[in-house]
Amino acid sequence: MSGYERGRIMMKYADLIEENTEELAILDCIDAGKLLSLGKVADIPVAAGMLRYYSGAADKIHGETLKMSGELQGYTLKEPIGVVGHIIPWNYPTTTFFFKVAPTLAAGCTMVVKPAEQTPLSALFYANLAKQAGIPDGVLNVVPGFGPTAGAALCSHMDVDKVSFTGSTEVGRLVMQAAAKSNLKQVSLELGGKCPVIVFDDADVDTAVNLVQLASFGEVCVAGTRIYVQEGIYDAFVKKIVEKAKSWVVGDPLSPNVNQGPQVDKTQFEKVLKYIEYGKTEGATLLTGGKACGEKGYYIEPTIFTDVKEDMKIAQDEIFGPVMSLMKFKTIEEAIEKANNTRYGLAAGIITNNINTANRVSRSVRAGLIWINCYFAFDNDLPFGGYKMSGFGKDLGLDAIDKYLNVKSVVTPIYGSPW
Ligand code: ADP
């Protein structure tokens, strides 16, 4: 099928998604406990937008003409890489589905998507809509299943040419091992994070508190959970962030005006509570929260620790729950060193009104995405992915299509064969 035709079908697919916004948002809400209010205005429309963005690129995939030395000419062809396996997590069942599927459709590959076992519903709905949009059978296949069986089968399959994975760093390692042991398929990984947010003395405290609160409490790989606050505003910041956390509404994700739903399942719920216990036993001071909310469901109070030391588990491990660690710093050098003291490098936040500070820190922190005076700002055109053990191979941005293409070089003599 031509790129132009693929692009048209992707546009139709986007329209169908938008027509079903309410139902799709409800599916993610039921499966993952995601806020319905956010799903309707963010996750689902953003998915449609991704398809439209990449649809425009589907008929603009081309190689280069090369002037070679000698009487030769060369050109490159960009060809679909082949069969792609996509393995996605439960925290953004819709967004991560289209991070993967949209550029892969544009590239002209076929694919097998394995959604997370906790959240298969919207993925199945998307498969159905793909059929309605006119995507031919066999192009976009959705196979729900467990990681060690269905996921592992994709990673070790000899006929799969590429695996694009979003999930934990531990499983990312298994994905690479399976690829290496089978057919050396290409791999790209978007893995865990433990993102720092650095708040400088010159920042407005209320703005900083709002941003940190927004950054911190979700089940999100880019959650800003290590909060470094400069000593001059530390006390004022702590007072206000605690007040803010206490006003954060935890409850039924289907109802509006709720800020935080439940953890996705019992395993995650218990994991988060276990980390809260580590925080207490390792000597951090609990400022607010620290336990489950209510009797029913997997709800956890927004939790803030202070006096957190760099080597504590709550400062180093990805918790994936509403647990914030607050740390004080004096100098810009100290903030940079602490922010980089992590095996992860997904994203980082900087809150300051000093352009020199913002520039210096953004170049010194080893992370794939830096937010200055904002957080969770994404765009189809903005490459997203990590440094260090947060993975490699960016999602989003035009270049993401290249992950699903192979470059073939073709050479021919200009004036007939000299050999
Ligand atoms: P999370 O912390 O988001 O649950 P996981 O890495 O456990 O992260 O899961 C992300 C995705 O990886 C899910 O779709 C899961 O089923 C899949 N997965 C888990 N184990 C494996 C494995 N051994 N091989 C391939 N995929 C796996």
Side-chain angles (χ1 to χ4, degrees), residues 243-311:
E243 281 166 15
K244 189 91 182 168
K246 285 184 174 158
S247 69
W248 202 238
V249 184
V250 182
D252 182 353
L254 283 161
S255 47
N257 309 321
V258 162
N259 299 114
Q260 182 189 311
Q263 306 316 117
V264 70
D265 61 14
K266 190 160 183 258
T267 311
Q268 284 298 318
F269 174 74
E270 287 173 351
K271 178 183 163 197
V272 177
L273 291 177
K274 189 179 74 184
Y275 271 100
I276 292 174
E277 283 315 304
Y278 286 145
K280 291 179 193 165
T281 52
E282 286 188 332
T285 306
L286 180 68
L287 287 178
T288 184
K291 55 183 189 317
C293 266
E295 298 294 304
K296 214 174 145 210
Y298 303 132
Y299 297 93
I300 295 181
E301 291 176 346
T303 297
I304 302 181
F305 282 105
T306 185
D307 302 322
V308 179
K309 302 274 179 311
E310 289 292 297
D311 57 353

Side-chain angles (χ1 to χ4, degrees), residues 24 70 82 106 113 156 163 182 191 211 229 233 238 277 301 318 398:
L24 285 162
V113 185
S156 56
V163 167
S182 55
L191 307 174
L211 271 172
V229 186
I233 57 162
V238 169
E277 283 315 304
E301 291 176 346
E318 184 176 42
L398 218 44

Side-chain angles (χ1 to χ4, degrees), residues 87-90 114-117 146-148 151-152 155 165-168 171 174-175:
I87 301 176
I88 58 175
W90 47 262
K114 194 206 82 62
E117 51 271 35
F146 290 96
C155 300
F165 172 82
T166 298
S168 61
V171 175
L174 297 178
V175 170

Side-chain angles (χ1 to χ4, degrees), residues 115-400:
E117 51 271 35
Q118 297 89 341
T119 53
L121 297 181
S122 60
L124 291 167
F125 201 116
Y126 289 125
N128 188 318
L129 294 180
K131 204 173 165 70
Q132 287 179 43
I135 294 177
D137 284 350
V139 171
L140 169 46
N141 308 279
V142 175
V143 182
F146 290 96
T149 47
L154 272 178
C155 300
S156 56
H157 202 291
M158 294 300 286
D159 295 330
V160 172
D161 301 285
K162 156 105 202 179
V163 167
S164 176
F165 172 82
T166 298
S168 61
T169 297
E170 296 70 31
V171 175
R173 209 186 276 278
L174 297 178
V175 170
M176 279 193 85
Q177 281 169 357
K181 281 189 186 150
S182 55
N183 61 345
L184 287 172
K185 58 179 66 60
Q186 291 189 28
V187 170
S188 50
L189 304 173
E190 198 267 277
L191 307 174
K194 186 75 186 172
C195 306
V197 181
I198 310 170
V199 185
F200 286 91
D201 273 350
D202 62 75
D204 172 63
V205 180
D206 290 317
T207 308
V209 164
N210 286 339
L211 271 172
V212 167
Q213 173 82 358
L214 170 77
S216 203
F217 286 143
E219 290 179 310
V220 194
C221 51
V222 291
T225 49
R226 292 185 296 135
I227 314 298
Y228 297 99
V229 186
Q230 203 162 15
E231 57 183 359
I233 57 162
Y234 188 81
D235 292 340
F237 181 92
V238 169
K239 186 167 170 284
K240 290 198 172 179
I241 193 82
V242 169
E243 281 166 15
K244 189 91 182 168
K246 285 184 174 158
S247 69
W248 202 238
V249 184
V250 182
D252 182 353
L254 283 161
S255 47
N257 309 321
V258 162
N259 299 114
Q260 182 189 311
Q263 306 316 117
V264 70
D265 61 14
K266 190 160 183 258
T267 311
Q268 284 298 318
F269 174 74
E270 287 173 351
K271 178 183 163 197
V272 177
L273 291 177
K274 189 179 74 184
Y275 271 100
I276 292 174
E277 283 315 304
Y278 286 145
K280 291 179 193 165
T281 52
E282 286 188 332
T285 306
L286 180 68
L287 287 178
T288 184
K291 55 183 189 317
C293 266
E295 298 294 304
K296 214 174 145 210
Y298 303 132
Y299 297 93
I300 295 181
E301 291 176 346
T303 297
I304 302 181
F305 282 105
T306 185
D307 302 322
V308 179
K309 302 274 179 311
E310 289 292 297
D311 57 353
M312 289 182 184
K313 285 196 178 67
I314 56 168
Q316 287 298 330
D317 295 352
E318 184 176 42
I319 302 176
F320 237 68
V323 183
M324 182 193 297
S325 293
L326 287 179
M327 287 154 280
K328 197 190 287 188
F329 72 91
K330 281 193 173 71
T331 63
I332 187 168
E333 292 79 12
E334 185 189 348
I336 291 167
E337 193 185 324
K338 287 184 166 169
N340 281 329
N341 183 12
T342 169
R343 57 188 178 278
Y344 296 115
L346 196 53
I350 304 166
I351 306 177
T352 178
N353 285 315
N354 183 327
I355 184 82
N356 300 324
T357 303
N359 284 340
R360 182 165 165 204
V361 179
S362 55
R363 282 163 189 251
S364 307
V365 171
R366 293 191 65 209
L369 179 47
I370 309 282
W371 283 303
I372 302 167
N373 296 330
C374 60
Y375 214 84
F376 291 134
F378 283 101
D379 194 87
N380 294 325
D381 216 19
L382 190 79
F384 169 59
Y387 279 30
K388 294 155 81 177
M389 288 178 75
S390 292
F392 54 86
K394 308 281 178 187
D395 287 321
L396 294 178
L398 218 44
D399 291 347

Side-chain angles (χ1 to χ4, degrees), residues 22-39:
E22 178 87 17
E23 194 164 355
L24 285 162
I26 289 174
L27 290 181
D28 280 351
C29 181
I30 292 169
D31 254 358
K34 290 185 72 70
L35 298 182
L36 179 62
S37 53
L38 264 184

